[in-house]
Amino acid sequence: DEVLRLVAERLTELARPLELVARTGDDEFALLLPAMAALGEPAGRVGGSMPPALRRARELVEQLRLPMEVAGVRLAVEVTVGVVAEQPGRIEVSELLRRASLAVGRAKELGLTVGTYDSSQDASSTDHLALLAELQDAFAADDQIVLHLQPAVDLVTAAPTGVEALVRWRHPRRGQLSPGAFLPAVERSELLIPFTRRVLDLALAAAADWTANGINIPVSVNVSARSLTDPTFPAQVTEALRRHRTPASRLVLEITESVAVSEQEVVDEVLARLRSSGVQMSLDDFGTGFSSLASVTRIPVDEIKIDRSFVDEMIDKPAAGAVVRGAVELGARLGVRVVAEGIETIEQRAALIELGCPTAQGYHFCKPMPADKIVQALTQ
Ligand code: C2E
Ligand code: CA
Ligand code: CA
Ligand code: CA
């Protein structure tokens, strides 16, 4: 409540003259922007002007995300915005709000921060249900949910040090779908548990395959933030390990920091139980959360993965290079493995070696590949 009160306060402060703020739900706010022409923006097409509204929405998101302090704790809020552009007076306010909430739902489904409304989206809640029904079918079929596997390698020798499992959905009509297209829907439904079970099973089966070929490197599985708020998750993991007779140390769970602050106690408990079961923990997308450094001290991890964005910008932007160097030093000091993500070029490889980074993953070495190709790739 305190957080939402602060958000409301901040939103009210941010609103410019002529912009109206209303609280339309528990954690839902509406902002009515005046006709953009009145703000000196060029008039848009009939039906309102989307680009200026989008720009304004992004601006507000940036400012709303700035960390705030509640009872001595610094925290940041996640914001999703739906934008509707309409000419003044053309539709009822209630209809505007309905469309805005459709746009929000769509944005969340796609994992975006800002979504826009268009009339074709009016089917989107039925889309969502259809997607979930199809996913249920996908679990029943045994060849629709598959893993692509991508090795992490020693930067100097290119010898594999581990393999990450990245899920794909071979949709019967739409072709191969990336996690971004269906994970958000899975994560918000009761399908998350059977989904996670399937991914763990496929990953541990793949690992058994390369172990049988004499390669003793661990498999990394990405964990949804929501699983970390599920007290039964550690047992799901240990049961999967038992099914596959795999020692816990061969499994790395990749987690991100995007975990609800309100459920921090459950999350800490779940992480502690995972850790004591002997599973390795990796902090994914390191550097992108607002509290990366705090997380490293709060969550005992075995590995940090430097987010691809820093590797991307490392060569042009000294600040990105400094983050990489900082992460490498931090890793060395804490005795934590450091992996750089998304290496695409030989220049990036050289720069990372220069910075002392030991391990990396990326297209430069190997693209994610179907499970039946991995043993060959690892042994060549
Ligand atoms: P991530 O964990 O950060 O995974 C890295 C993403 O970068 C993958 O995208 C991978 O295919 C891609 N990638 C690897 N090397 C390169 C490179 O050199 N250049 C570029 N541009 N991209 C590279 P993908 O497979 O689409 O996965 C996206 C995200 O979906 C993952 O991000 C992860 O957060 C999530 N995810 C994937 N599989 C699972 C899963 O089984 N469970 C859960 N909960 N999340 C998953
Ligand atoms: Ca990952
Ligand atoms: Ca990552
Ligand atoms: Ca990522």
Side-chain angles (χ1 to χ4, degrees), residues 257-276:
E257 307 174 74
S258 53
V259 167
V261 172
S262 61
E263 293 175 280
Q264 193 162 317
E265 271 172 36
V266 194
V267 172
D268 285 350
E269 170 72 28
V270 165
L271 290 173
R273 277 167 53 205
L274 287 170
R275 207 55 194 334
S276 66

Side-chain angles (χ1 to χ4, degrees), residues 256 284-285 307-308 341:
T256 55
D284 205 348
D285 301 342
D307 192 68
R308 189 172 83 219
E341 289 186 328

Side-chain angles (χ1 to χ4, degrees), residues 236-250:
Q236 292 165 36
V237 172
T238 45
E239 272 153 36
L241 288 164
R242 198 170 312 136
R243 280 198 296 280
H244 293 266
R245 300 175 211 287
T246 305
S249 60
R250 297 290 306 283

Side-chain angles (χ1 to χ4, degrees), residues 117-132:
Y117 170 85
D118 75 71
S119 54
S120 68
Q121 283 170 16
D122 261 354
S124 82
S125 39
T126 44
D127 278 1
H128 180 72
L129 291 178
L131 183 73
L132 291 180

Side-chain angles (χ1 to χ4, degrees), residues 150 164 167-168 179 183 222 224 284-285 308 344 362-363:
Q150 185 182 40
E164 179 175 5
V167 73
R168 302 287 180 264
L183 256 183
N222 292 283
S224 296
D284 205 348
D285 301 342
R308 189 172 83 219
E344 295 183 351
Y363 298 166

Side-chain angles (χ1 to χ4, degrees), residues 179-192:
F182 60 92
L183 256 183
V186 171
E187 287 172 344
R188 284 185 294 126
S189 74
E190 69 292 1
L191 290 178
L192 181 59

